[in-house]
Amino acid sequence: MIAASEMLRRIANCAAGFALVAAAIAAGGQTAPVKKMGTAQSAEQANELDWWKNAVIYEVYPRSFQDMNGDGVGDLNGITARLDYLKELGVDAIWLTPVYPSPHLDFGYDISNYMDIDPEYGTLADFDRLVSEANKRHIRVLMDMVMNHTSDQHEWFLQSRSSRSNPYRDWYCWHDGKGQTATDRGQPPNNWQSLFGHSAWQWDEKTRQYYYHKFYVQQPDLNWRNPAVHDAFKEIIAFWLKRGVGGFRFDAITTLFEDPSLADEGVVLDKDGKPVINAFGDPQLDGSKTDNQPGLHEVMEEMRPEADKFDSSEFPGTRVLIGETYLPNIGELKKMYGTPDKPEFHLPMDTQVGMIDKLDVATFRQRLIDAGTHLGAHIPLLLFDNHDNPRIDARYGDGVHDVDIQRVIAMILLASRGVALVYYGDEIGMTTTPPTRKQDVKDPIGIIGWPKEKGRDGERTPMQWDGTANAGFTSGAPWLPVPPSAAAINVQAELSDPNSLLAWYKALIRLKKTVPAFDSGANIMLDPENTKVLSWMRQATGAPQVVVSVNFTADTVTTDLTLGEAGIRPRELKTLLKTPGAPDSAVLNRIVLGPYGVYIGEVQ
Ligand code: NOJ
């Protein structure tokens, strides 16, 4: 059975027939250096333009971050109150999941007005204050941009469903049923399914047609073949750019278009030729008609200039476009960057690296090589989890060495070439805490799919600030329970422990920002046959090389780095960071690592 929280990414794999691109590249020299800024620009201008290229972006789930008014739900003023913590951590930007007015069926991803703030989260004035306080600390605020669908309570949809002749009718995807007559609604137009369970078609009795919804029934899909929809979103983007946002994360972007033929999707079969059944009890479809369809790139080519052309002396700098891009292979990911003439995303999510879900050295090595070679000078956006996926402990942990493994993951995230996306609470090792009873579930997919699909509450629990009853999140009753682990895993406790995971994240972020090779330096894989240790070198012109070695096992291992191909002779390393037990200094071809040990050293 497949859990719905995994479906967003699995559907993409199905669509391309699991055609993983295998890059047969030798271990050395895999990446092209990132282009440097022209000399005519001042250092400050270059900094504003390049701020995102080696950035740490922190995902805030506003509902769960910090509540200031005691209603048990996080709010904008709570985020503002925690900016100093984020500054101290070293983040360059925060991405807020949606804070627009919403009935909150999908906790904000069902938007009823794109140009305001939901009263649960605050006001536009609170938002402006957040942006201004964040900018004072050189932290950019990125908004979520949900273009695939609206809430069924959005005025556009209320109009659209009011009559077949309403001017908004064609803003959504309406179709007659199969075999529909004047008195019989027939069957839904085809077999397409919602990612959140069951048919993707909802019958509307008043106007006697079906509308399409890739997600919940209450989230009707917009019709992107209608130019008026394009114009509406350009206006929305401009509205938020004027308020000083640093960019957008485009939600569910690969599901913007559907195949106009309305042909059925294929059913995924298991090895015995039987249909795979998903967590909702439906046959698993291959997504071939509803995901990553023609039209998507043209929309992004159109939206990118909307961000690029925005110019403001009050809020200078590149506006960054991030894509929620669960894609089946690196080739499809590359397309999301567009071309030099027609750029699309700055940073489409690279789920190839972070969603392996298994500590397997060879797969990580190959995926990191792919990110370096296939993406060329484009910068990968690395991430390991988010508000839709169980946290790192649940996907990579072994139940015994979870904190050590969280250090390993942090190392891959922050010491590899690319932009790092950190999900709130990962820096302190928050664990996935799913509900144990159906009556406690808040995320509707957990109700539809219980008990196989428990929903996404487990990775959305309140931020653990301290060891008090509600973990410092709220003075009221928290909307989701604070996990018992908060007594030990919390910011306050970890701030005073130099060996904490939080201290580890901070040290890594500091290295990412200060070691020249960690800025844009290529990732060069070392010791390519090793099945226990992942080792790589960061190399940039004119900067000392830096070696990173990560033990993926509970055994003590000694690395034997084969450096001949890279033209490097064994030399001393100066330790920059290490886990307890790793040596204080090492020679390049002999680094002893304890269980899940990690070592970073600069070549002398
Ligand atoms: C992706 C978002 O990350 C997820 O939380 C949401 O439910 C769907 N898109 C629908 O908007």
Side-chain angles (χ1 to χ4, degrees):
M1 298 285 182
I2 298 172
S5 51
E6 285 178 41
M7 265 177 214
L8 288 165
R9 52 191 153 125
R10 295 235 178 146
I11 199 101
N13 289 339
C14 294
F18 297 93
L20 285 178
V21 175
I25 312 282
Q30 296 99 345
T31 54
V34 178
K35 209 165 74 191
K36 289 271 175 247
M37 297 304 305
T39 46
Q41 283 154 328
S42 73
E44 204 176 314
Q45 280 169 326
N47 199 27
E48 294 295 358
L49 290 175
D50 283 358
W51 71 265
W52 57 279
K53 291 189 172 170
N54 185 36
V56 176
I57 302 177
Y58 186 93
E59 179 186 351
V60 175
Y61 196 68
R63 226 179 156 71
S64 297
F65 198 59
Q66 176 69 67
D67 173 26
M68 293 299 274
N69 64 1
D71 66 357
V73 172
D75 43 44
L76 294 179
N77 287 339
I79 302 169
T80 308
R82 293 297 184 177
L83 284 173
D84 285 336
Y85 166 77
L86 296 170
K87 178 74 196 160
E88 184 58 23
L89 182 58
V91 312
D92 301 286
I94 51 176
W95 148 38
L96 310 183
T97 58
V99 288
Y100 315 97
S102 162
H104 289 297
L105 194 102
D106 193 14
F107 299 110
Y109 283 97
D110 46 331
I111 298 168
S112 52
N113 177 358
Y114 286 79
M115 298 205 203
D116 206 345
I117 296 293
D118 191 286
E120 255 194 328
Y121 296 132
T123 61
L124 275 172
D126 294 335
F127 181 81
D128 292 343
R129 196 167 69 86
L130 167 61
V131 170
S132 143
E133 288 299 318
N135 283 349
K136 277 185 207 157
R137 293 164 177 83
H138 301 283
I139 295 175
R140 323 240 166 184
V141 177
L142 314 181
M143 296 289 270
D144 221 305
M145 189 47 58
V146 184
M147 306 203 303
N148 180 69
H149 49 268
T150 66
S151 160
D152 63 354
Q153 299 308 306
H154 194 293
E155 183 58 27
W156 301 337
F157 190 69
L158 295 177
Q159 295 277 345
S160 184
R161 78 182 327 176
S162 67
S163 84
R164 285 198 188 197
S165 58
N166 186 282
Y168 285 92
R169 184 68 175 179
D170 195 35
W171 282 48
Y172 293 85
C173 307
W174 294 97
H175 289 281
D176 289 339
K178 230 193 259 174
Q180 185 174 330
T181 65
T183 52
D184 181 355
R185 66 170 79 165
Q187 294 300 309
N190 54 33
N191 73 344
W192 298 353
Q193 286 173 18
S194 160
L195 282 179
F196 291 166
H198 314 320
S199 174
W201 296 99
Q202 177 69 15
W203 176 252
D204 184 65
E205 187 55 36
K206 180 162 186 215
T207 54
R208 297 196 59 76
Q209 269 191 315
Y210 288 87
Y211 69 84
Y212 175 70
H213 57 94
K214 184 72 183 174
F215 298 93
Y216 292 121
V217 172
Q218 297 84 351
Q219 291 169 303
D221 270 46
L222 284 158
N223 173 17
W224 276 88
R225 297 185 203 284
N226 181 345
V229 172
H230 296 221
D231 293 344
F233 275 92
K234 287 181 191 165
E235 217 181 293
I236 291 164
I237 286 170
F239 176 87
W240 292 103
L241 287 175
K242 282 186 205 138
R243 300 197 100 89
V245 307
F248 303 94
R249 174 261 192 190
F250 286 79
D251 180 70
I253 197 69
T254 64
T255 61
L256 226 49
F257 286 90
E258 297 76 42
D259 186 334
S261 77
L262 296 187
D264 278 353
E265 288 191 326
V267 173
V268 178
L269 303 177
D270 66 15
K271 58 179 179 10
D272 302 320
K274 298 209 183 83
V276 172
I277 302 299
N278 67 26
F280 304 109
D282 304 319
Q284 179 65 35
L285 302 184
D286 64 9
S288 57
K289 309 289 177 200
T290 58
D291 192 55
N292 203 8
Q293 300 294 301
L296 162 63
H297 292 285
E298 287 73 9
V299 169
M300 288 318 299
E301 284 165 11
E302 200 185 327
M303 293 301 156
R304 172 70 181 261
E306 298 300 310
D308 285 350
K309 76 182 183 199
F310 187 74
D311 196 16
S312 156
S313 53
E314 198 188 344
F315 302 113
T318 301
R319 266 61 187 168
V320 167
L321 306 191
I322 294 176
E324 192 201 21
T325 43
Y326 291 95
L327 290 163
N329 58 54
I330 195 83
E332 287 303 307
L333 178 62
K334 185 174 182 197
K335 291 183 197 162
M336 293 293 165
Y337 291 89
T339 61
D341 292 344
K342 292 181 175 172
E344 298 177 36
F345 291 105
H346 298 82
L347 295 170
M349 289 185 339
D350 182 344
T351 57
Q352 300 295 305
V353 174
M355 303 285 167
I356 295 171
D357 289 3
K358 193 171 165 223
L359 274 187
D360 177 72
V361 175
T363 313
F364 268 98
R365 185 179 291 127
Q366 189 57 53
R367 299 281 174 93
L368 286 167
I369 289 174
D370 287 350
T373 49
H374 291 263
L375 301 183
H378 294 306
I379 299 172
L381 173 59
L382 303 177
L383 74 159
F384 280 87
D385 55 10
N386 57 26
H387 62 283
D388 293 327
N389 291 283
R391 287 182 181 270
I392 293 165
D393 65 304
R395 304 211 328 281
Y396 291 94
D398 64 359
V400 178
H401 304 91
D402 285 4
V403 177
D404 300 320
I405 291 171
Q406 283 162 333
R407 281 181 214 275
V408 161
I409 296 291
M411 177 63 60
I412 300 169
L413 178 67
L414 292 157
S416 301
R417 175 178 167 265
V419 170
L421 191 51
V422 176
Y423 185 44
Y424 85 93
D426 276 357
E427 75 277 19
I428 54 170
M430 275 175 60
T431 53
T432 316
T433 315
T436 51
R437 305 179 314 170
K438 187 177 178 185
Q439 61 263 43
D440 298 330
V441 177
K442 296 280 193 302
D443 182 15
I445 59 172
I447 300 167
I448 303 170
W450 190 270
K452 291 193 178 88
E453 169 60 64
K454 294 191 167 63
R456 298 162 290 181
D457 295 353
E459 55 265 26
R460 298 173 175 180
T461 55
M463 178 68 180
Q464 297 167 193
W465 296 105
D466 60 38
T468 60
N470 288 334
F473 164 67
T474 180
S475 57
W479 79 282
L480 276 179
V482 171
S485 60
I489 300 173
N490 65 65
V491 171
Q492 196 182 46
E494 294 194 27
L495 278 176
S496 52
D497 175 2
N499 290 321
S500 66
L501 191 63
L502 180 57
W504 183 253
Y505 265 83
K506 276 191 187 174
L508 272 172
I509 294 174
R510 204 165 40 246
L511 290 182
K512 184 171 173 63
K513 297 290 168 184
T514 55
V515 172
F518 276 173
D519 183 13
S520 59
N523 266 12
I524 297 176
M525 288 295 158
L526 305 173
D527 199 8
E529 304 303 326
N530 199 322
T531 55
K532 293 188 167 180
V533 180
L534 185 67
S535 298
W536 67 95
M537 178 175 283
R538 298 295 304 277
Q539 181 164 284
T541 316
Q545 295 144 324
V546 176
V547 168
V548 183
S549 268
V550 186
N551 180 0
F552 274 39
T553 73
D555 306 330
T556 296
V557 290
T558 303
T559 64
D560 177 12
L561 307 184
T562 309
L563 295 163
E565 293 165 42
I568 296 160
R569 302 226 317 272
R571 272 181 281 165
E572 289 290 317
L573 292 173
K574 184 178 109 195
T575 302
L576 297 180
L577 188 67
K578 66 184 186 80
T579 40
D584 283 329
S585 68
V587 278
L588 261 178
N589 60 348
R590 199 184 140 73
I591 302 170
V592 183
L593 295 168
Y596 299 101
V598 170
Y599 181 84
I600 306 183
E602 192 178 79
V603 180
Q604 297 301 287

